[in-house]
Amino acid sequence: QHTGVVFWDHGGAWHGFAVDESSGSDSMTVDEIATGLQHVATTTGIGKFSLISFDACLMAELEIASALEPVADYLLASEEVVPNHGMDYSVLAQAVTSDPVQFGNVMIEGFRQQSDAMGDLPSVTMSLLDLSKVGAVNDALAVMQQAVEADPSATVQFLNAADGANAYGFSPDPAQDMNLRDLGQIARSLSGRNTSLAGTSGALYDAVTSMVVQHMEGDGHAGSTGVSVYAPLSI
């Protein structure tokens, strides 16, 4: 009734996934992943995968969701770095149902409980994203981009909001920082301010919350909304 794929290895958001030690530590780009999955879906006749899961760091990102939208219904991934223990596969038996959302919810709860037992719950995140809603998020983001272009001061407003949002893969060394920020938090912050971006950011926040079916985060990332975006603070 449903098909899914679990990817396990190192994740680097839009930079790519996995390390092929037999080929100069080459990584798969997001486009390569999407192309490979599309080839499988086409040749097997399944149409779309019900769910793509990344047991990998930093893959609950808008850019990842956008690339995978043509090939999958749901994306299960983490905004933040995933601890070494990864996902908890002991819950697979109860997770496998005829409902991909239920599968995702059980896997998220298993990950939460395992992270709690391992002592790293404060730092973890995990999200289930409805990829059919990605288009609405990108449309809302495009409208915000137009508003930023129309008002030079809006760039500073956006950067201030991004600076106050939760960061993932963060490093104080700018050369090592992944520049990933919580998209919903950015939108929520801007919508609550008396700025030229208030209206467009409110629509963006609504689109983000509609796309995020379920999310979990520890106290270290309180307020996260479930999906990140590449937002370098330096222009």
Side-chain angles (χ1 to χ4, degrees):
Q1 292 174 304
H2 294 279
T3 52
V5 177
V6 176
F7 288 95
W8 175 91
D9 205 319
H10 295 293
W14 62 270
H15 294 281
F17 165 80
V19 176
D20 184 353
E21 296 176 349
S22 69
S23 184
S25 296
D26 182 45
S27 293
M28 285 190 287
T29 67
V30 181
D31 285 343
E32 286 173 336
I33 295 172
T35 299
L37 291 172
Q38 184 65 69
H39 175 72
V40 173
T42 301
T43 56
T44 59
I46 64 172
K48 273 189 174 184
F49 292 92
S50 299
L51 182 140
I52 302 297
S53 174
F54 280 98
D55 192 350
C57 300
L58 309 171
M59 300 301 279
E61 184 194 26
L62 179 61
E63 290 82 349
I64 305 297
S66 298
L68 297 180
E69 182 274 330
V71 297
D73 294 325
Y74 294 94
L75 171 63
L76 178 63
S78 170
E79 290 184 272
E80 184 55 291
V81 170
V82 174
N84 287 338
H85 58 73
M87 300 287 284
D88 180 12
Y89 296 101
S90 70
V91 300
L92 269 177
Q94 65 188 90
V96 175
T97 70
S98 60
D99 182 358
V101 171
Q102 176 66 9
F103 178 91
N105 289 339
V106 172
M107 293 301 295
I108 289 174
E109 177 59 18
F111 178 66
R112 186 195 70 77
Q113 292 188 22
Q114 185 181 54
S115 298
D116 191 20
M118 298 293 287
D120 46 34
L121 180 59
S123 67
V124 301
T125 63
M126 193 60 64
S127 305
L128 180 64
L129 308 181
D130 182 350
L131 297 183
S132 70
K133 306 295 181 64
V134 172
V137 174
N138 283 320
D139 288 345
L141 201 56
V143 173
M144 176 181 283
Q145 180 179 345
Q146 294 173 356
V148 169
E149 292 172 348
D151 179 7
S153 67
T155 299
V156 178
Q157 298 167 16
F158 179 87
L159 292 175
N160 283 335
D163 188 38
N166 283 339
Y168 312 102
F170 174 78
S171 172
D173 179 358
Q176 300 296 320
D177 188 17
M178 295 298 291
N179 292 301
L180 300 174
R181 302 284 169 151
D182 189 271
L183 178 58
Q185 281 189 312
I186 294 174
R188 184 169 58 202
S189 174
L190 288 170
S191 66
R193 303 179 186 183
N194 185 22
T195 72
S196 62
L197 298 181
T200 58
S201 58
L204 175 59
Y205 179 74
D206 290 342
V208 169
T209 55
S210 178
M211 178 175 67
V212 180
V213 178
Q214 183 63 275
H215 65 97
M216 177 277 294
E217 57 279 331
D219 292 342
H221 290 296
S224 293
T225 60
V227 61
S228 66
V229 70
Y230 180 64
L233 299 185
S234 172
I235 56 173

